[in-house]
């Protein structure tokens, strides 16, 4: 039986290869995901460990908690006098201080910022203490005075900078120009993603980064024979409350925490897409094996006639599937190396460049990829294999014998309905049930989606005849006899058509859901902007990134400016959880229409040093009213004792305010180096070319800020949503590609199955062109059935999730134009899938086809 199984595979090379492709692509996604995230982690690990080379103890700034806004507000420094005290310790061999910032952007010769929204790293270092420097010079020298800087190799190469050239650096005070003295890089890390690096001498760095007299990091090396534990015990008593000390290894791990959280999320997200691809692949494999087993009914019956048992038949089919699974998984494992590079390119196009080092091909990647690929193939083969065991021996003497229907086939519609109902129930539970953890929400919703797809696939054979009849009507009218035959062939075996269409249905349903969800997100955002925006212009950057706080001050000096109101952003601990905090100035009500539930437009001007306002739902949740006390803790550890002076009604699409909004005065006094989310401006004469030009001239030193009207503001902020949407399309495209191969596979197999039928059609006058047309119509019709089912299921998922997230500003909106494109894309998929099978069918030799068994 082993020889029979292996000979069967070798005798059906094309069918075996087409079956294997589904697993190859799915496993490649798993392998590529692990390779990509492991390589990113290795790159970050190298960066962080090299940051503390030759270091025993690291002194860093201390924050009360990790904020939500990243570089929007920097951590406070600690006094530079700590360095002298540390150097004076008896067991310290050397110590060097430095400052750092993540929001000092490089500016090219055209006056544009470099690096997009990636971190813009700036360091102020002591050039005399190179033993602690994590960077290495590629060429040139380290900066030594206030007019010099060194930049990273990627920026130098991309923007054609060389030693001796001039480059701009945007800081909180605007753009300043420096002469490049050196090109630098992190040793052994080939890429730091989209991040840029600017290096200054310590005094210049302190001045540029608003940290004069302060340090962010002190690296300490002990004398030979001194243990790290002893060195720590000597250093810690010298530290102020704003500083802390760790050994180098512990500090590197601390630095990696945020990165590990991000890469962990990225890994889970990409593995979810890999799971979708394998789920679709399982449908393709099961359908392919079902067709091949049906075509081999006489072969299996003959084996039974000469003494083969049901168990041997089962083992033979499972062995075929195992062989396909093993080979496909091995190919997919190594294809993942190429896919990892492809994913890196995709993320770079979405402005999500990530550090890269040497490629990491871990043993875990090999084991998991092979195991998942083989198991999915085996599970998908079980039902077809069990059907093969039910071939009766008498079928060996029957021409055109077919497999008997399953005893449970008549319960298909009922089973499908129950599975759909269960899936919808789990989805609703995960979407609407309060009190669940994030993991529980995702578990219920993921299980619900899975059951919904399975239920629709089980119920689909009931829907195929009416759908094929309706969708095939144009083909029967336009395509003549070929169109009529195509529609009838599609309806001849509803289960087969449904299984083939189900693979496309899953991919297209997820694409449709993402589109509906994104449309709801955009619709909610636009609605909120329409309601709140009451200014002529906005100063902002794309993708909700912060802008320099000096931009608003510069804009206020433009001729014709009436009002400038800036909104700041930071983080604070409120009622035991980390929340976003915003700051508004007294002019806010002149440029933002806020619906006040309690209070009036005068509230922003009345905040003072201890006032705050919150959103209505948050106030109700925490029983806050006008005059209620509210304590918040800043990242510096300082507690602000506030009182509620206003409660506002948030628009459906959200607002630019954080959980708590305080005055700009209070914010600037408690948050170091603040940055703005945006600034809104009113001008005499409103929006005119002259006013626009005046504002652009005024903010010329702040290239991170753009002058935008309301419509331009919406367009720029929605770019981020569109980038993520396109990224999801690319990732979900893999499942659509697998479903395309599924349609190709089914058509090729049906051509084999109908060889005599096609020969007879040719014998009675059907031309090669008509044969090709018939196969094309069948392919398109199958794809359209999958497309219609996918669009309907996707819209339903979008409706359910949008309703569940209505309180988060997501509305339900149907993008009819894009759904029309998806419908046309289904036709295109059908056309592409039919190219090879149609040519194969048209080239059959008539006489050989009539003799085919």
């Amino acid at each position: 039986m082993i020889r029979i199984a292996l000979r069967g595979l070798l005798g059906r090379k094309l069918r075996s290869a087409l079956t294997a492709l589904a697993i190859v692509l799915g496993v490649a996604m798993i392998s590529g995901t692990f390779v990509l995230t492991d390589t990113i982690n290795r790159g970050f690990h190298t960066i962080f460990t090299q940051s503390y080379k030759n270091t025993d103890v690291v002194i860093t700034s201390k924050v009360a908690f990790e904020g939500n806004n990243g570089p929007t507000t920097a951590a406070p420094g600690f006094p530079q006098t700590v360095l002298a005290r540390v150097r004076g310790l008896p067991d310290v061999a050397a110590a060097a201080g430095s400052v750092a910032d993540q929001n000092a952007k490089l500016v090219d010769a055209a006056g544009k910022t470099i690096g997009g929204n990636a971190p813009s790293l700036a360091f102020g270092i002591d050039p005399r203490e190179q033993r602690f420097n994590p960077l290495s010079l590629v060429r040139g020298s380290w900066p030594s005075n206030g007019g010099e800087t060194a930049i990273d190799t990627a920026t130098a190469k991309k923007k054609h900078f060389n030693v001796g050239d001039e480059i701009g650096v945007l800081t909180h005070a605007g753009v300043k120009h420096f002469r490049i003295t050196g090109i630098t890089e992190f040793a052994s890390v080939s890429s730091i993603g989209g991040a840029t690096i600017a290096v200054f001498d310590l005094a210049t760095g302190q001045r540029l980064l608003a940290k004069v007299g302060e340090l962010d990091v002190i690296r300490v090396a002990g004398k030979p024979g001194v243990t790290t534990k002893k060195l720590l015990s000597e250093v810690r008593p010298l530290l102020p409350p704003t500083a802390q000390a760790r050994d180098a290894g512990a500090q590197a791990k601390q630095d990696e925490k945020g990165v590990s959280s991000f890469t962990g999320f990225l890994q889970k997200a990409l593995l979810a897409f890999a799971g979708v691809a394998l789920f679709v692949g399982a449908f393709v494999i099961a359908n392919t094996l079902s067709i091949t087993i049906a075509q081999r009914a006489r072969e299996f019956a003959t084996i039974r006639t000469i003494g083969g048992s049901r168990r041997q038949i089962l083992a033979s089919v499972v062995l075929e599937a195992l062989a396909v699974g093993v080979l496909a998984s091995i190919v997919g494992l190594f294809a993942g190396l190429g896919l990892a590079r492809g994913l890196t390119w995709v993320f770079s196009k979405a402005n999500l460049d990530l550090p890269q080092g040497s490629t990491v091909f871990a043993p875990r990647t090999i084991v998991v990829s092979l195991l998942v690929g083989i198991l999915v193939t085996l599970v998908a083969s079980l039902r077809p294999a069990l059907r093969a065991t039910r071939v009766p021996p008498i079928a060996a003497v029957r021409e055109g014998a077919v497999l008997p229907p399953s005893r449970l086939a008549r319960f298909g519609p009922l089973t499908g309905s129950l599975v759909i109902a269960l899936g919808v129930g789990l989805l609703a539970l995960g979407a609407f049930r309060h009190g669940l953890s994030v993991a529980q929400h995702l578990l219920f919703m993921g299980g619900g989606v899975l059951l919904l797809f399975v239920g629709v696939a089980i119920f689909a054979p009931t829907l195929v005849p009416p759908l094929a009849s309706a969708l095939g009507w144009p083909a029967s009218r336009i395509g003549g006899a070929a169109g009529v035959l195509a529609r009838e062939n599609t309806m001849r075996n509803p289960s087969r058509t449904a299984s083939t269409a189900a693979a496309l249905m899953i991919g297209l349903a997820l694409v449709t859901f993402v589109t509906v969800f994104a449309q709801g997100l955009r619709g909610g955002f636009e609605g909120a902007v329409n309601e709140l925006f009451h200014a002529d212009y906005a100063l902002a950057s794309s993708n909700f990134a912060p802008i320099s706080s000096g931009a608003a001050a510069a804009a206020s000096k433009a001729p014709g400016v009436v009002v400038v109101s800036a909104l700041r952003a930071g983080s604070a601990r409120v009622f035991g959880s980390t929340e976003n905090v915003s700051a508004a100035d007294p002019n806010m009500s002149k440029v933002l229409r806020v619906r006040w539930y309690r209070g009036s437009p005068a509230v922003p001007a009345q905040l003072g040093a201890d006032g705050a306002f919150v959103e209505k739902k948050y106030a109700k949740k925490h029983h806050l009213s006008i005059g209620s006390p509210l304590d918040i803790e800043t990242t510096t550890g300082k507690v602000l004792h506030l009182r509620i002076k206003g409660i506002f009604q948030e628009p459906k699409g959200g607002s630019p305010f954080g959980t708590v909004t305080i005055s700009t005065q209070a914010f600037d006094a408690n948050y170091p180096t603040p940055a703005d989310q945006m600034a809104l401006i009113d001008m005499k004469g409103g929006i005119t070319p002259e006013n626009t030009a005046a504002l652009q001239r005024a903010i010329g030193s702040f290239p991170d800020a753009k002058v935008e009207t309301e419509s331009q503001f919406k367009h720029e902020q929605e770019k981020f949503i569109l980038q993520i949407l396109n990224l999801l399309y690319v990732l979900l495209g893999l499942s659509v590609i697998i479903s395309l191969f599924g349609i190709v596979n089914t058509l090729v197999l049906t051509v084999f199955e109908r060889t005599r039928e096609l020969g007879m059609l040719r014998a009675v006058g059907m031309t090669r062109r008509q044969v090709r047309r018939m196969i094309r119509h069948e392919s398109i019709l199958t794809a359209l059935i999958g497309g219609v089912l996918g669009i309907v299921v996707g819209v339903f998922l979008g409706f359910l999730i949008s309703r569940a997230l209505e309180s988060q500003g997501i509305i339900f909106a149907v993008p009819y134009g894009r759904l029309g494109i998806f419908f046309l894309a289904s036709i295109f998929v059908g056309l592409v899938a039919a190219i090879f099978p149609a040519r194969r069918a048209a080239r059959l030799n008539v006489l050989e086809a009539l003799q085919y068994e």
Side-chain angles (χ1 to χ4, degrees), residues 13 19 37 162 221-222 360 425 427 468 472 736 745 842:
K13 297 183 184 68
T19 305
T37 53
N162 290 302
V360 179
L427 265 171
V736 176
N745 215 357

Side-chain angles (χ1 to χ4, degrees), residues 36-89:
L36 174 67
T37 53
D38 288 347
T39 302
I40 292 170
N41 279 329
R42 172 72 64 81
F44 276 118
H45 178 75
T46 302
I47 289 173
F48 291 133
T49 52
Q50 288 183 351
S51 292
Y52 306 114
K53 68 177 184 178
N54 304 321
T55 302
D56 297 314
V57 170
V58 183
I59 302 170
T60 60
S61 300
K62 185 178 181 180
V63 292
F65 57 89
E66 294 295 328
N68 297 329
N69 293 86
T72 304
T73 53
F78 54 85
Q80 188 171 356
T81 53
V82 174
L83 177 60
R85 294 201 297 269
V86 169
R87 282 174 171 168
L89 290 172

Side-chain angles (χ1 to χ4, degrees), residues 116-322:
N117 295 306
S120 303
L121 307 176
F123 300 101
I125 63 171
D126 187 344
R128 296 168 300 180
E129 293 288 355
Q130 287 302 311
R131 63 185 292 177
F132 297 117
N133 193 346
L135 301 167
S136 58
L137 273 175
V138 176
R139 57 183 181 274
S141 61
W142 294 109
S144 58
N145 62 58
E148 298 176 343
T149 187
I151 64 171
D152 60 283
T153 53
T155 300
K157 184 177 180 180
K158 182 178 180 181
K159 295 296 181 177
H160 309 292
F161 283 112
N162 290 302
V163 172
D165 292 343
E166 189 177 87
I167 191 170
V169 179
L170 173 63
T171 65
H172 308 287
V175 175
K176 297 186 180 299
H177 291 87
F178 299 86
R179 186 177 68 86
I180 300 172
T181 62
I183 308 298
T184 185
E185 67 180 6
F186 277 105
S188 78
V189 178
S190 59
S191 166
I192 56 171
T196 60
I197 296 176
V199 183
F200 308 94
D201 67 273
L202 182 58
T204 303
Q206 289 173 314
R207 187 176 68 255
L208 286 175
L209 306 179
K211 295 183 179 181
V212 174
E214 295 181 343
L215 295 173
D216 292 317
V217 179
I218 295 177
R219 293 170 171 82
V220 184
K223 290 181 178 179
V226 177
T227 65
T228 301
K229 184 176 180 180
K230 186 173 187 297
L231 196 59
L232 279 170
S233 68
E234 293 180 7
V235 167
R236 280 174 175 155
L238 303 179
L239 303 182
T242 55
Q244 60 191 344
R246 296 187 180 97
D247 66 74
Q251 185 60 47
K253 289 181 180 178
Q254 179 66 25
D255 292 345
E256 287 185 56
K257 275 187 179 179
V259 172
S260 299
S261 175
F262 168 72
T263 54
F265 169 78
L266 178 65
Q267 186 181 84
K268 290 181 179 66
L270 292 176
L271 287 176
F273 288 106
V276 170
L278 283 170
F279 186 52
V280 173
F283 273 86
V284 173
I285 292 168
N287 193 39
T288 302
L289 289 175
S290 293
I291 296 173
T292 55
I293 286 167
Q295 293 173 354
R296 296 164 61 194
R298 293 184 71 183
E299 175 189 331
F300 291 133
T302 302
I303 294 173
R304 291 290 310 281
T305 302
I306 60 176
S309 67
R310 290 177 183 270
R311 180 175 295 179
Q312 287 176 311
I313 296 292
L314 178 66
S316 173
V317 176
V318 170
L319 182 60
E320 286 187 33
L322 178 63

Side-chain angles (χ1 to χ4, degrees), residues 596-619:
W596 293 99
Y597 175 70
R598 294 287 184 270
S600 70
V603 167
Q606 298 170 351
L607 292 177
D610 64 348
F613 64 81
V614 296
E615 195 269 328
K616 178 182 175 182
K617 291 178 182 176
Y618 190 80

Side-chain angles (χ1 to χ4, degrees), residues 710-757:
E710 179 182 347
S711 60
Q712 290 170 337
F713 175 77
K714 287 189 288 190
H715 175 73
E716 286 297 319
Q717 301 307 316
E718 286 174 355
K719 277 185 177 179
F720 179 71
I721 299 174
L722 293 175
Q723 285 175 349
I724 298 300
L725 183 61
N726 291 333
L727 178 61
L728 292 175
Y729 282 161
V730 171
L731 294 175
L732 287 171
L734 187 62
S735 62
V736 176
I737 292 172
I738 292 175
S739 63
L740 184 148
F741 281 114
I743 296 174
V744 173
N745 215 357
T746 301
L747 289 173
V748 168
L749 292 174
T750 55
V751 168
F752 279 115
E753 184 180 58
R754 290 153 50 196
T755 299
R756 293 185 67 185
E757 174 189 326

Side-chain angles (χ1 to χ4, degrees), residues 25 75 154 180 253 320 327 447 502 513 519 533 567 584 653 688 699 724 727 765 769 805 812 829:
L25 294 175
I180 300 172
K253 289 181 180 178
E320 286 187 33
L327 292 174
F513 160 68
Q519 184 69 18
F533 202 102
L567 285 172
T688 65
I699 65 167
I724 298 300
L727 178 61
R769 184 175 181 180
L805 297 177
F812 175 64
V829 167

